[in-house]
Each structure stands twice: as structure tokens, then as C-alpha cells.
Amino acid sequence: MAGSQLVAPNAAGPWTPNISDTWQWQLTGTINTGYNVKVYDVDLFDTSNSILTTLHSQGKHVVCYFSAGSGENWRPDYVKFNSADLGNPLDGWAGERWLDTRSSNVRSIMSARLDLAKSRGCDGVEPDNVDAYTNQPGFSLTALTQLDYNRFLASEARARGLKVALKNDVDQIVALQPYFDFAINEQCHQYNECVGYSAFTSAGKPVFNAEYKSKWASNATERAKMCASAVAANLRTLVLPMALNDRFRYSCD
């Protein structure tokens, strides 16, 4: 792990997510700290203390990413999952398996990750893969078990003074919005799912969106059309490589 000690506090002070906040999302590669945005979303485990300190010294707020719904076999705490906690592999993601989010052991591991985020100076967290019930996790997970787990994550994050994002889970946006401080979405323009995020934007909460469709990276005219829709919906939309490695970046803001 890149370091777990407390880093320098944010020069901008505590973060109150605002609908106008701009963002950058990079989870792999050497983090480019040079973008003029309010929020950076980076990996909880892999991002070095020096990067976190640099971002805070620039007055940027840091969101720390971790998967809350899957076990990734390269993470340092993977050995803490019980065999019964691990379900089916995630399609297309080698070394990653769905978790039984009803498990008290899984929840204990996630609470420890939130402790780590707090100790590392993260301003907020992005718990990923919180829509297992819509997939084939290998467990009898339902909409109700998902609501319970997602509310657990939000409550535990907020108890530590962390802002917390609802990641995707578009079918439960309305029910979950009161428990979350902002939202992160992938490909709502591509799949015509952006309208539901009015539950967040109407409450003054930012929605950070990433799109990967190739035409929006390669065709400026097509990208402008999509961006006009994003701006009209008050979404903070980026066009990024799916690897989230900063190979290219187009912002609608």
C-alpha cells in the first residue's frame, strides 16, 4: 500500500459538495495533479501520501475510491474475506468477485476501509459496485438487501466525517439520495439514464459523470451535443478512457 498515515489537512478546509463542483477521476497510472478542478477522485489504496498532500495543498478535495461490493484479489485486505463472502466473478474484471453484502465480516472490512480513508485525509469516498442485486453475484441479494447495505455504507462514512458518493445503482437513486452527499455515474448519457439524477441535482448535490463512448472522444461535434445535454441537466460530465489512466480527458465544463 502507498501509505496509510495522516496527510496534511486540506488547505480549503472541510468539503461541502456543491452542484457546481468540477472534478477529475484517475484510478491508474501516475496521477496528474495539474487540472484546475475542485475535486479529485483517486484510489484509496494506491495513491501515495505525497499525491494526497499535493492535492490538499492546492485546495482540492479528495474522494477515495474503493470497491464495496466486490473483493479484488490484489488488495492488501483481501485475505480477510471468508470463502463464504466471495461469490461469482465480475464479468470482464479479472481477479474480482462479488461479495455477500449481508455478511458481518464484509461489513467489518468495509468499516476498516472507511477508517483508512479517514486516517489518510480523504474528504469523501466512492464505494463502488453497490448494485450487485442487478447482476449475478452468486447470492440471494435483493433490492432490499442492497438498500440496507448502501445505507450502511453511507451511515458509516458520515459517522467518520466523510462525504459519500452513490455510485451508479440508478434504480435506487430516489430512495438513496437522502443518505448520500453526491453521486458518481458511468455512462448515463450512453444508456439514457441521466434523468434520474435530478433527485440529486434538485437537492443541490453534485453528480459526477464519466462517459467512455469512442465517438465522444474522437468527434468534437458529437461530444458537443452530448455536453449540451450534460450542462442542461447540471451534470459534471467527463469523457475519459475506461482505464481511467489520464490518457485523454475532455470536460463538458
Side-chain angles (χ1 to χ4, degrees):
M1 187 168 57
S4 60
Q5 300 304 309
L6 185 66
V7 300
N10 195 324
W15 180 36
T16 300
N18 189 286
I19 196 171
S20 64
D21 285 349
T22 52
W23 77 308
Q24 165 63 356
W25 195 18
Q26 185 179 350
L27 299 183
T28 62
T30 301
I31 303 297
N32 179 351
T33 62
Y35 292 109
N36 182 25
V37 297
K38 292 291 183 69
V39 179
Y40 262 72
D41 190 339
V42 296
D43 191 88
L44 170 63
F45 292 101
D46 294 342
T47 307
S48 69
N49 285 340
S50 63
I51 291 293
L52 297 179
T53 297
T54 295
L55 292 171
H56 277 165
S57 71
Q58 296 171 344
K60 294 166 181 171
H61 301 290
V62 176
V63 172
C64 293
Y65 168 96
F66 66 93
S67 182
S70 69
E72 303 156 308
N73 64 12
W74 62 92
R75 298 301 191 183
D77 59 359
Y78 183 78
V79 296
K80 296 181 180 179
F81 292 113
N82 299 323
S83 59
D85 295 332
L86 299 166
N88 292 335
L90 271 70
D91 187 27
W93 299 95
E96 196 166 354
R97 294 170 65 181
W98 291 107
L99 295 173
D100 186 348
T101 54
R102 302 165 299 179
S103 161
S104 60
N105 184 56
V106 167
R107 294 185 181 210
S108 177
I109 292 168
M110 295 308 152
S111 293
R113 290 184 176 187
L114 292 168
D115 287 338
L116 176 62
K118 178 68 174 178
S119 73
R120 300 208 67 203
C122 306
D123 301 292
V125 288
E126 179 201 347
D128 195 11
N129 295 309
V130 294
D131 54 2
Y133 81 102
T134 67
N135 292 275
Q136 295 180 325
F139 304 109
S140 299
L141 303 181
T142 67
L144 289 178
T145 66
Q146 193 70 67
L147 285 172
D148 179 72
Y149 184 58
N150 292 1
R151 287 168 178 158
F152 159 80
L153 292 168
S155 175
E156 291 295 307
R158 286 178 162 182
R160 291 161 174 79
L162 297 165
K163 305 303 181 184
V164 57
L166 176 63
K167 176 68 173 291
N168 296 326
D169 196 14
V170 294
D171 293 335
Q172 298 185 323
I173 289 173
V174 173
L176 289 172
Q177 180 273 126
Y179 299 87
F180 289 81
D181 303 295
F182 61 109
I184 294 176
N185 170 270
E186 293 171 294
Q187 299 166 279
C188 75
H189 294 282
Q190 181 174 344
Y191 296 117
N192 297 314
E193 295 173 337
C194 296
V195 64
Y197 284 96
S198 63
F200 275 84
T201 57
S202 64
K205 299 178 180 181
V207 176
F208 301 131
N209 165 247
E211 298 292 333
Y212 310 126
K213 200 168 185 177
S214 60
K215 73 174 182 179
W216 291 328
S218 62
N219 188 314
T221 300
E222 291 295 327
R223 185 168 63 251
K225 292 178 184 177
M226 183 273 294
C227 282
S229 175
V231 171
N234 231 339
L235 307 180
R236 309 277 73 83
T237 292
L238 302 176
V239 179
L240 300 171
M242 189 171 286
L244 298 175
N245 59 6
D246 196 47
R247 185 168 60 85
F248 60 81
R249 177 185 187 272
Y250 300 98
S251 174
C252 291
D253 290 303

